[in-house]
Amino acid sequence: MIQTATGTFQGAGALELYYQSWRPVPDLERRAVLTIVHGLGEHSGRYGNVVEYLVPRGVAIYSFDLRGHGRSPGKRGHVNAWSDMRQDLDAFLMLVRRQEGDLSQFLLGHSLGGLIVLEYVLRHPGETGLRGVIASGPGLSTEGISPLLLKLSRILSRVWPTLSFPTGLDVPGISRDPAVVQAYQNDPLVHGVGTPRAAVESSAAIRWTLDHAADWSLPLLILH
């Protein structure tokens, strides 16, 4: 049996962000806690396979919907400043620590979430209290994106930062399992849009993360 809970917490700018948690039943000893940061266009509820495997083995799991995603408020696929992402994650990790105490903490980020967690940890050397990080398909490159589109995003970020445009995600390519692809396509909380400001801020975060990669010190598992 898994205990589930939902709630909200205040992120950057006092924005109320939605989160979920899954914890082992009271008589099962908790061994660790894993915080999950989801990918672009999805939400915290899309990691049921991770929950079903780890929670019965004593791992508490927490995840929140990024601003502009899932049940959290904000324009879909938009972030005004990358620092908002970093502050949101910092606030959420503090909530997890308050609720789980001295349990060993691990952080997992997928796709956009992978970039968020890597940049966050590099910005907080020795301050996170984390035991390790997992980056699943982290978004660390703009390769494959048209240089013209990137240039256009930089221009529009100044004059129309919140313009919505399709992200062009290869949805059939997210999994070799057709059922997983179908579930993604049928999920009403999934979206496929971004904004020029989000594109520019993400690109800057990628460059900064790669430039500081040699400063990494925590145990790190990258899955790609």
Side-chain angles (χ1 to χ4, degrees):
M1 180 178 177
I2 297 174
Q3 291 181 325
T4 62
T6 63
T8 62
F9 70 100
Q10 283 196 350
L15 191 68
E16 290 288 332
L17 301 175
Y18 174 87
Y19 80 90
Q20 303 184 69
S21 67
W22 302 265
R23 305 173 78 240
V25 291
D27 58 349
L28 179 62
E29 181 182 0
R30 288 173 293 132
R31 301 164 53 199
V33 57
L34 175 68
T35 297
I36 299 175
V37 183
H38 67 75
L40 177 64
E42 54 168 8
H43 58 90
S44 61
R46 294 200 49 80
Y47 294 81
N49 56 329
V50 181
V51 170
E52 290 168 9
Y53 184 84
L54 289 180
V55 176
R57 290 165 171 81
V59 179
I61 294 181
Y62 286 73
S63 186
F64 71 101
D65 291 358
L66 297 171
R67 55 183 58 224
H69 290 75
R71 293 182 173 88
S72 287
K75 184 176 178 60
R76 301 295 90 174
H78 177 68
V79 60
N80 191 54
W82 188 264
S83 58
D84 290 345
M85 295 287 208
R86 193 161 57 244
Q87 292 173 39
D88 292 345
L89 177 55
D90 192 54
F92 190 57
L93 288 174
M94 286 193 289
L95 178 149
V96 174
R97 290 188 195 101
R98 288 196 300 270
Q99 297 198 8
E100 297 298 333
D102 295 331
L103 279 182
S104 296
Q105 290 208 44
F106 296 85
L107 184 57
L108 183 157
H110 174 67
S111 188
L112 173 65
L115 172 61
I116 292 171
V117 303
L118 293 174
E119 195 263 358
Y120 171 82
V121 173
L122 284 168
R123 293 275 190 182
H124 296 80
E127 302 173 16
T128 64
L130 294 166
R131 295 290 300 276
V133 174
I134 304 163
S136 164
L140 290 173
S141 174
T142 57
E143 187 175 346
I145 302 176
S146 165
L148 178 62
L149 181 59
L150 291 173
K151 184 176 182 179
L152 185 60
S153 293
R154 288 193 290 270
I155 296 171
L156 288 172
S157 179
R158 295 192 292 269
V159 298
W160 195 355
T162 60
L163 172 68
S164 290
F165 61 85
T167 59
L169 176 68
D170 175 21
V171 174
I174 66 171
S175 175
R176 290 190 293 263
D177 186 342
V180 172
V181 176
Q182 189 68 41
Y184 184 94
Q185 293 173 322
N186 293 339
D187 191 330
L189 293 178
V190 165
H191 70 76
V193 297
T195 67
R197 178 63 56 78
V200 169
E201 291 292 305
S202 298
S203 296
I206 290 171
R207 291 193 299 272
W208 189 93
T209 300
L210 294 177
D211 286 345
H212 293 81
D215 299 332
W216 189 271
S217 59
L218 281 178
L220 172 64
L221 171 65
I222 297 180
L223 306 171
H224 218 301

